[in-house]
Amino acid sequence: MAEQRYKGIRVLVTGGLGFIGSNLVHALVREGAEVTVVDGLISGCGGDEYNVAEVRDRLRVIIADIGDREAVSVALADQQVIFNLAGEVSHSMSISCPERDLRLNALAQLRFLESCRVWAPQARIVYASSRQIYGRPRYLPVDERHPVDPVDFNGVHKWAAECYHRLQARLYDQPTVVLRLTNVYGPRQSLRVSCQGFIATFIARALRREPVLVYGDGSQLRDMLYVDDVVEAFLLAGLTPLPSAEPYLVANVGGPRPMTLSEIARTLVGDDVHYVPFPAISARIDIGSYHSDDRLFRAWTGWQPRVDFAEGIVRTLEFYRQHAEHYLHGAVN
Amino acid sequence: MAEQRYKGIRVLVTGGLGFIGSNLVHALVREGAEVTVVDGLISGCGGDEYNVAEVRDRLRVIIADIGDREAVSVALADQQVIFNLAGEVSHSMSISCPERDLRLNALAQLRFLESCRVWAPQARIVYASSRQIYGRPRYLPVDERHPVDPVDFNGVHKWAAECYHRLQARLYDQPTVVLRLTNVYGPRQSLRVSCQGFIATFIARALRREPVLVYGDGSQLRDMLYVDDVVEAFLLAGLTPLPSAEPYLVANVGGPRPMTLSEIARTLVGDDVHYVPFPAISARIDIGSYHSDDRLFRAWTGWQPRVDFAEGIVRTLEFYRQHAEHYLHGAVN
């Protein structure tokens, strides 16, 4: 029996059929929350009803774009905490189709926050932002004061959405928390859709016993975060009293330690790692090394990541092997 | 006879019927350029065909939204310098209608830059950004390293458009200059449309011999820049060789000196200044004092502002008095 920190609390999860969103939904159900999910199942964004199949009868699920004011009004009424995870995640897709990224990550968020003001103006909103907004780090580890300088359209629009959340707090007093997530991995990430980030590609190749291709020399650093740890960060961000009078907080959420892409790849496939030059466009949007300074978030909530990468990868591969029929071989949404 | 620095050079001015755009068009014609204007005459954005009436027969004018790919393709072919000034300027309008601001300042720019890549990939683009992206200054004077933290949707979307221009340079090698303009005043600003900024309101009231209302105690600083000076900044930014190998530069363009809102108001109407409390929403988006550190731009181009505020206001009021029939009494676009 899990803790019941959310017992009887009404929560909405946007993007609740996606990778992080569905893991959060599982945890919220365990914690006793009354959970509503809004997810547009938009092709390429990672949403998948299979992700919540085991808890489906304990949820209200509304299949709609978060920018759909009518559908969202029904979902929002009386909510107490809103976990706002809907969005396009692909960096490379944002370059080939920036207008799609604008629509999904900026315009839809603008409309959704207007709906929040109308239907749930007291609810706390926790928004899933990304380390992507920082672009190529100018120093390490990266704290929240690091300049915002995204290297692709996805980063531009995630940052615009962050600003909308900040304005929601400043102009309209809605309590709002923005979490800038580092790279997250674990069960329920879409492996069949391309462009979901390097770790999904690495995991899919490991499961298929294919070699892993690393761009560059593999020395780039990342602080990989297991999805259960990021879920716990969201749970805490939804309930922990804000530390100042301002109804707004932005905080990094990082992994347990920085590690090289080589180490990440070797953990998955042993020596079956090939180093190849960056493709032209990837070289232009590569950010080099990144890891987070997330002391602000730890001090606020007491949170810390608990799952080391080696352990997290064991759990992740086991999950996908158990569900290989769906995640590896099923049809792509 | 003016210098002929642009003799025979093909230039496009977006927003060329607006306040700064039309003044730039007059200068470009004097300098011998072959000028095309694209302007959507979108209500509230300040565009007005009267602004270029005197030089109308020496221009090609295309009335179209900059996001209109077909119209823009005709305008862009073979251009050498693109002065990109189209946009929504109203901060307060961006709060009452953020989606309009998104469409005009972000989406339309995204589409326009895609058109530039197709039809004029070698042309230098000079984009008119705004000090608004900095929000409430954390130190004075504000240089280009100041954090980006806009206080309204207009600032968010102007910054998104800045990012698009930076990506245009980084991803596609198109030479791009972003100028972050301080408050500009002078002839050809729309005085009949509301929400064009405080200086338009002050000037209209001075012309009508009405008192000027200042929010707060009038101690807030601004570095007002006369439009002829900002036009010269654009002319230089269009032709001066870039200082580094990177095809991108962002620079502040400020006024000759900081002055208080009280001094600005008194220059216009003498003692007929009333100090009133901030309206609720204005208090939340007020940025306090601002003035620019624009040493980067001055060092790059040798530019400096030449018109002091007292002199600029004399010229401005004289212009509007000569054209009062149109600017004060005509119908609103």
Side-chain angles (χ1 to χ4, degrees):
Chain A
M1 186 73 186
E3 281 187 85
Q4 294 272 297
R5 290 170 290 183
Y6 276 80
K7 189 170 173 56
I9 295 180
R10 295 178 299 278
V11 306
L12 174 66
V13 184
T14 74
L17 303 182
F19 166 36
I20 300 174
S22 65
N23 283 283
L24 177 60
V25 163
H26 280 265
L28 286 164
V29 167
R30 281 196 303 273
E31 295 262 352
E34 298 179 19
V35 182
T36 299
V37 165
V38 171
D39 196 303
L41 286 177
I42 293 161
S43 180
C45 292
D48 183 345
E49 293 189 89
Y50 185 87
N51 282 339
V52 300
E54 298 159 61
V55 294
R56 181 63 188 80
D57 57 345
R58 297 156 77 186
L59 306 173
R60 179 171 62 149
V61 177
I62 297 170
I63 305 299
D65 189 292
I66 61 165
D68 176 343
R69 292 187 179 91
E70 194 173 323
V72 161
S73 70
V74 175
L76 274 171
D78 296 322
Q79 299 294 353
Q80 295 169 283
V81 182
I82 299 164
F83 295 105
N84 187 11
L85 288 83
E88 164 68 284
V89 295
S90 173
H91 303 167
S92 52
M93 177 78 91
S94 85
I95 290 179
S96 54
C97 196
E99 205 169 313
R100 169 189 154 95
D101 199 275
L102 173 71
R103 188 164 46 79
L104 296 176
N105 282 327
L107 177 58
Q109 289 290 344
L110 195 60
R111 290 181 179 165
F112 178 68
L113 290 174
E114 287 182 339
S115 297
C116 290
R117 290 208 296 279
V118 175
W119 299 103
Q122 316 291 332
R124 178 182 294 193
I125 303 173
V126 183
Y127 173 64
S129 185
S130 164
R131 63 136 179 84
Q132 187 66 5
I133 64 149
Y134 297 120
R136 192 176 179 87
R138 298 173 193 187
Y139 57 83
L140 292 171
V142 173
D143 61 18
E144 294 84 0
R145 285 181 297 273
H146 187 285
V148 172
D149 188 11
V151 295
D152 58 33
F153 295 95
N154 184 263
V156 176
H157 298 138
K158 290 298 282 187
W159 193 82
E162 264 202 29
C163 290
Y164 300 156
H165 284 80
R166 190 156 49 243
L167 292 178
Q168 188 88 348
R170 284 190 190 159
L171 297 176
Y172 306 110
D173 294 319
Q174 182 147 22
T176 305
V177 175
V178 169
L179 301 182
R180 293 175 176 165
L181 310 182
T182 189
N183 289 71
V184 178
Y185 69 99
R188 302 189 179 88
Q189 186 170 25
S190 175
L191 303 183
R192 289 172 283 113
V193 178
S194 62
C195 310
Q196 302 292 296
F198 78 88
I199 191 68
T201 305
F202 283 17
I203 289 168
R205 285 181 163 263
L207 291 165
R208 295 192 180 106
R209 302 187 184 287
E210 294 168 356
V212 162
L213 305 183
V214 171
Y215 295 157
D217 64 3
S219 66
Q220 310 99 301
L221 298 172
R222 292 290 183 278
D223 55 338
M224 306 302 299
L225 182 63
Y226 188 61
V227 70
D228 285 5
D229 281 327
V230 85
V231 162
E232 178 63 14
F234 274 96
L235 294 176
L236 290 166
L239 293 182
T240 306
L242 287 165
S244 78
E246 196 188 25
Y248 179 75
L249 185 81
V250 55
N252 287 342
V253 177
R257 65 185 173 90
M259 49 198 302
T260 65
L261 282 191
S262 281
E263 183 184 351
I264 293 167
R266 286 200 312 268
T267 305
L268 278 156
V269 294
D271 290 337
D272 207 5
V273 180
H274 297 213
Y275 298 89
V276 298
F278 276 95
I281 200 74
S282 299
R284 295 198 176 208
I285 68 171
D286 177 52
I287 61 158
S289 287
Y290 175 89
H291 54 105
S292 311
D293 177 340
D294 59 8
R295 286 178 292 176
L296 179 67
F297 187 72
R298 293 181 186 225
W300 176 44
T301 60
W303 175 87
Q304 57 178 337
R306 297 185 181 281
V307 182
D308 185 67
F309 188 67
E311 167 64 18
I313 282 297
V314 168
R315 293 195 212 172
T316 300
L317 294 178
E318 188 178 307
F319 173 87
Y320 285 117
R321 288 189 183 113
Q322 282 178 8
H323 300 269
E325 190 68 31
H326 182 79
Y327 288 99
L328 272 184
H329 309 307
V332 170
N333 168 34
Chain B
M1 185 74 185
E3 283 186 85
Q4 294 272 298
R5 292 170 290 182
Y6 277 80
K7 189 170 173 56
I9 295 181
R10 295 178 299 278
V11 305
L12 174 67
V13 183
T14 75
L17 303 181
F19 166 37
I20 300 174
S22 64
N23 282 284
L24 177 59
V25 163
H26 280 265
L28 285 164
V29 167
R30 281 196 302 273
E31 296 261 353
E34 297 179 19
V35 182
T36 300
V37 166
V38 172
D39 195 304
L41 286 177
I42 293 161
S43 180
C45 292
D48 183 346
E49 294 188 91
Y50 184 88
N51 282 338
V52 300
E54 297 159 62
V55 293
R56 181 64 188 82
D57 57 344
R58 296 155 76 185
L59 306 174
R60 179 171 62 151
V61 177
I62 297 170
I63 304 299
D65 189 290
I66 60 164
D68 176 342
R69 292 186 179 90
E70 195 173 322
V72 161
S73 70
V74 175
L76 275 170
D78 296 321
Q79 299 295 354
Q80 295 169 283
V81 182
I82 298 164
F83 294 104
N84 186 11
L85 288 82
E88 163 69 284
V89 295
S90 172
H91 303 167
S92 52
M93 175 79 91
S94 86
I95 290 180
S96 55
C97 196
E99 206 169 312
R100 169 188 154 96
D101 199 275
L102 172 70
R103 186 163 47 79
L104 296 176
N105 282 328
L107 176 59
Q109 289 290 344
L110 195 59
R111 290 180 178 165
F112 178 68
L113 290 175
E114 287 182 340
S115 297
C116 290
R117 290 208 295 280
V118 175
W119 299 103
Q122 317 291 331
R124 178 181 295 192
I125 303 174
V126 183
Y127 173 62
S129 184
S130 164
R131 63 136 179 85
Q132 186 66 5
I133 64 148
Y134 296 120
R136 194 176 177 87
R138 298 173 193 187
Y139 57 81
L140 291 172
V142 173
D143 61 18
E144 294 84 359
R145 285 181 300 273
H146 187 286
V148 172
D149 188 11
V151 296
D152 58 33
F153 295 94
N154 184 262
V156 177
H157 298 137
K158 289 297 282 187
W159 194 82
E162 263 201 29
C163 289
Y164 301 155
H165 284 79
R166 190 154 51 241
L167 292 178
Q168 188 87 350
R170 284 189 190 161
L171 297 176
Y172 306 110
D173 294 320
Q174 183 147 21
T176 305
V177 175
V178 169
L179 301 183
R180 293 176 177 164
L181 309 181
T182 190
N183 290 69
V184 178
Y185 69 99
R188 303 189 179 87
Q189 186 170 24
S190 175
L191 302 183
R192 288 172 283 114
V193 179
S194 62
C195 309
Q196 302 291 298
F198 78 89
I199 192 66
T201 305
F202 283 16
I203 289 169
R205 284 182 163 263
L207 290 165
R208 295 193 181 103
R209 302 188 185 285
E210 294 168 355
V212 162
L213 304 183
V214 171
Y215 296 156
D217 64 2
S219 66
Q220 308 101 299
L221 298 172
R222 291 290 183 278
D223 56 338
M224 306 304 298
L225 182 61
Y226 188 62
V227 70
D228 285 3
D229 281 327
V230 85
V231 162
E232 177 64 15
F234 275 96
L235 294 176
L236 290 166
L239 292 183
T240 307
L242 287 165
S244 78
E246 196 188 25
Y248 178 74
L249 184 81
V250 55
N252 287 342
V253 177
R257 64 183 173 92
M259 51 198 300
T260 66
L261 283 191
S262 281
E263 183 183 352
I264 294 167
R266 284 201 311 269
T267 305
L268 279 156
V269 293
D271 290 335
D272 207 6
V273 181
H274 296 213
Y275 298 90
V276 298
F278 277 96
I281 201 72
S282 299
R284 295 196 177 211
I285 67 171
D286 177 53
I287 61 158
S289 285
Y290 175 89
H291 54 105
S292 311
D293 178 341
D294 58 9
R295 285 177 294 175
L296 178 68
F297 187 73
R298 293 180 186 225
W300 175 43
T301 59
W303 174 88
Q304 57 177 339
R306 298 186 181 280
V307 182
D308 185 67
F309 188 66
E311 168 64 19
I313 281 298
V314 168
R315 294 195 211 170
T316 300
L317 294 178
E318 186 177 308
F319 174 86
Y320 285 117
R321 286 190 184 113
Q322 283 178 7
H323 300 269
E325 190 69 30
H326 182 78
Y327 288 99
L328 271 185
H329 309 306
V332 170
N333 168 33

